[in-house]
Amino acid sequence: MEYIDLRSDTVTQPTPEMREAMAKAPVGDDVFGDDPSVNRLQELAAARVGKEAGLFVPSGTMGNLIAILVHCGRGDEAILGARAHTVLYEGGGISYLGGVHSRQLMEQPDGSLALEEIEALIRPEDVHQPSTRMISIENTHNRCGGTFQTPEYLRSLGAFAHARGLVVHMDGARLFNAAVAQNVEARELAGPVDSVTFCLSKGLCAPVGSVLCGSRAFIDRARHIRKHLGGGMRQAGVIAAAGIVALETMVERLAADHARARNLAEGLNEIPQIQLDGMPPTNMVFFNLADSVKLTVEQVEAKMRERGILVHATGKRRFRLVTHYWIDDVAVEKTIAGFEAVLG
Ligand code: TLP
């Protein structure tokens, strides 16, 4: 059975054009800096986000980890949102591998970090305390509902941090969703921050990889740390080639995923057993099951699967549905009908 898979946009598969580009990709040994496809992807990526240089990494998790390890030494502190992916879903890697202390601050409902609240967390120079070095911001913010940060907020965050001797990293796993949703260029969002990662393997459909971007000096150091982590790849041009197609052809169409997420949300909103968070800002629809629903989320997952629809619970009564390239209008209709039948 061909499933309608709404569990994440990470389930996207390479398009036929990507597979062709992968087959034909010129390659070399990227640890020597010799892979033309990787080099091209890194240049394209850096230009797209307005940074001097880029580094191809196997995952968003590794991109965030490397960035934080460049910005912080052992015993230094990073300020992060309490619901940030780096805090919740990256295995505590920044402390496990980098000895970096995380200071967590509850996000505003839109995923931003309030500047006055950050201010209160910045530590004075004191031997008893870790040294505050950086702030990390997520854009779009996954657990806050796929919310995006505006260029204005990011400019004020960057200026605030720099005036206090701090740097800013942006986990832009879905940076292009944030850009397309606001009709701005990704570089407007990335301009105020010191480093940014974005994923090729989510809504952009490439099979593997993310790009970490920043200044030339930052990327030189990041390359070294990627090697420490075992992330130096050899003929990685085979996968970078799909990333090039992703960047060149898949960004603008993200607007269609956002429109379908809204259609899906509108349809689900008609079902009394569903308590929708609100209209989705990008490609994620979050909702809770009403108390009247006697099924557990696992039972709902199983019944939807029987109908050929894969959905994923993110809490005891909570679901997140993610639209992407492989979700068309028919899939949206079938999903709404599926929930109606299962919950009705
Ligand atoms: N997110 C995945 C899961 O890990 C939850 C998903 O299905 O949404 N930053 C953000 C904001 C992310 O959402 C993710 C992946 C990552 C980083 C990590 O990317 P990968 O999976 O490439 O390590």
Side-chain angles (χ1 to χ4, degrees):
M1 181 192 279
E2 278 275 311
Y3 284 102
I4 295 169
D5 195 345
L6 292 147
R7 291 171 301 172
S8 181
D9 46 11
T10 59
V11 304
T12 49
Q13 300 197 0
T15 61
E17 191 185 348
M18 286 179 187
R19 288 181 189 270
E20 197 184 327
M22 292 169 82
K24 292 185 180 154
V27 296
D29 189 329
D30 181 49
V31 175
F32 293 127
D34 280 351
D35 191 301
S37 302
V38 172
N39 292 340
R40 174 137 179 265
L41 171 65
Q42 291 174 165
E43 279 161 23
L44 276 175
R48 194 99 200 204
V49 299
K51 299 290 177 206
E52 281 174 6
L55 184 71
F56 188 42
V57 290
S59 66
T61 300
M62 192 187 283
N64 289 333
L65 175 61
I66 293 174
I68 294 176
L69 298 195
V70 174
H71 294 314
C72 297
R74 299 185 72 78
D76 285 345
E77 192 166 76
I79 296 175
L80 297 125
R83 290 174 290 181
H85 193 274
T86 300
V87 170
L88 296 178
Y89 304 113
E90 294 177 13
I94 61 169
S95 52
Y96 179 68
L97 292 162
V100 177
H101 197 249
S102 81
R103 193 93 190 270
Q104 296 160 28
L105 163 65
M106 191 49 79
E107 294 89 346
Q108 300 298 301
D110 70 355
S112 65
L113 298 174
L115 302 190
E116 61 281 7
E117 291 181 25
I118 300 177
E119 181 87 72
L121 298 184
I122 299 173
R123 313 245 195 195
E125 261 320 307
D126 173 347
V127 287
H128 299 89
Q129 301 191 33
S131 307
T132 313
R133 294 279 179 238
M134 64 169 287
I135 302 162
S136 182
I137 189 86
E138 190 170 309
N139 192 18
T140 63
H141 198 298
N142 189 337
R143 276 297 170 267
C144 289
T147 47
F148 52 76
Q149 301 309 315
T150 63
E152 297 72 42
Y153 169 74
L154 292 164
R155 278 198 295 272
S156 58
L157 177 68
F160 168 91
H162 297 149
R164 288 158 182 76
L166 306 178
V167 295
V168 182
H169 172 66
M170 182 155 67
D171 174 358
R174 298 181 181 82
L175 179 67
F176 293 104
N177 294 85
V180 165
Q182 301 178 78
N183 207 10
V184 299
E185 292 294 328
R187 67 177 71 85
E188 282 187 63
L189 302 173
V193 304
D194 300 274
S195 58
V196 57
T197 40
F198 66 83
C199 294
L200 299 160
S201 62
K202 299 194 167 62
L204 301 185
C205 281
V208 183
S210 292
V211 191
L212 172 61
C213 296
S215 68
R216 175 74 53 198
F218 169 85
I219 291 298
D220 287 347
R221 184 79 195 114
R223 186 182 302 281
H224 206 125
I225 294 178
R226 185 185 67 175
K227 189 68 181 148
H228 289 311
L229 298 174
M233 298 177 283
R234 300 296 177 178
Q235 285 73 34
V238 169
I239 46 177
I244 293 170
V245 176
L247 267 187
E248 288 184 334
T249 69
M250 302 298 279
V251 171
E252 271 66 38
R253 64 150 307 283
L254 292 172
D257 298 342
H258 300 172
R260 290 201 175 95
R262 283 194 297 275
N263 293 344
L264 179 59
E266 273 163 15
L268 295 175
N269 208 20
E270 299 296 311
I271 303 175
Q273 295 84 350
I274 283 182
Q275 293 166 344
L276 198 71
D277 276 16
M279 277 302 135
T282 55
N283 68 331
M284 295 181 180
V285 178
F286 281 86
F287 63 85
N288 290 315
L289 297 179
D291 291 342
S292 60
V293 177
K294 296 300 165 220
L295 298 171
T296 63
V297 287
E298 291 79 13
Q299 287 168 329
V300 174
E301 280 175 359
K303 285 178 180 290
M304 291 296 281
R305 178 182 281 267
E306 283 165 19
R307 293 172 174 270
I309 303 165
L310 303 182
V311 294
H312 180 57
T314 57
K316 269 181 119 70
R317 304 294 287 165
R318 192 163 176 76
F319 281 92
R320 179 192 73 163
L321 310 183
V322 187
T323 56
H324 51 75
Y325 184 76
W326 302 99
I327 300 298
D328 58 14
D329 292 334
V330 175
V332 168
E333 291 306 316
K334 283 189 179 164
T335 304
I336 297 165
F339 274 110
E340 256 168 359
V342 167
L343 301 177

